[in-house]
Amino acid sequence: MEIFSKELTDTDVRVRFSFPTHCLEHLDFAGSNFVDLRVKDSCGELRVIRCLKRNGDYEKPVLSRGWLKFVADYGLRVGDKAVLLREDDHSLGSQFRIEARRRIVLFGGEAWGEVTRAT
């Protein structure tokens, strides 16, 4: 199940990644203002990415610690897309899967292709 899909902005690739507030319903903060998400990436590696939410009336969530390493590992840039999906992998201990996608133009049509890890 897809939780969110978002085209990356300059702030997303340089500082932190913000995503829609309605996605908070899929995360368990257990009374805290942050949760460490155990996420499987496209290569099957377990990553821990911290999700913070603001206190107060506007709880805008952001991915912080661990996010910029994911950006660097996959060579992400403005205009690429990040997708977070709900996917339990009991052997890995993850609850989510994160994918990176890049717009490709092929024979005059556009599509989104999966981005693999930068080497």
Side-chain angles (χ1 to χ4, degrees):
M1 175 179 84
E2 185 174 295
I3 296 174
F4 66 73
S5 173
K6 179 187 172 194
E7 285 190 45
L8 303 179
T9 66
D10 185 58
T11 300
D12 295 329
V13 297
R14 289 187 317 103
V15 184
R16 68 189 166 281
F17 177 85
S18 65
F19 58 95
T21 305
H22 70 83
C23 299
L24 287 171
E25 68 188 60
H26 300 282
L27 307 176
D28 182 10
F29 285 86
S32 180
N33 70 331
F34 75 91
V35 61
D36 288 332
L37 304 177
R38 297 175 58 82
V39 179
K40 179 171 72 172
D41 68 13
S42 298
C43 294
E45 287 187 31
L46 178 65
R47 293 175 176 270
V48 177
I49 300 177
R50 179 160 288 177
C51 179
L52 300 166
K53 66 178 179 174
R54 295 181 184 149
N55 293 324
D57 294 337
Y58 186 60
E59 297 182 313
K60 183 73 173 175
V62 297
L63 298 181
S64 58
R65 183 185 304 163
W67 167 250
L68 292 179
K69 177 156 178 33
F70 177 74
V71 169
D73 287 350
Y74 280 80
L76 299 182
R77 54 188 187 229
V78 173
D80 288 345
K81 188 181 282 188
V83 181
L84 185 71
L85 303 121
R86 178 69 193 205
E87 181 182 284
D88 290 314
D89 183 330
H90 299 289
S91 63
L92 195 58
S94 64
Q95 299 172 307
F96 303 95
R97 181 166 47 100
I98 192 164
E99 297 178 352
R101 299 182 184 160
R102 183 163 289 144
R103 187 185 329 264
I104 55 175
V105 178
L106 198 60
F107 302 112
E110 283 188 4
W112 289 94
E114 191 169 341
V115 178
T116 56
R117 268 186 91 147
T119 53

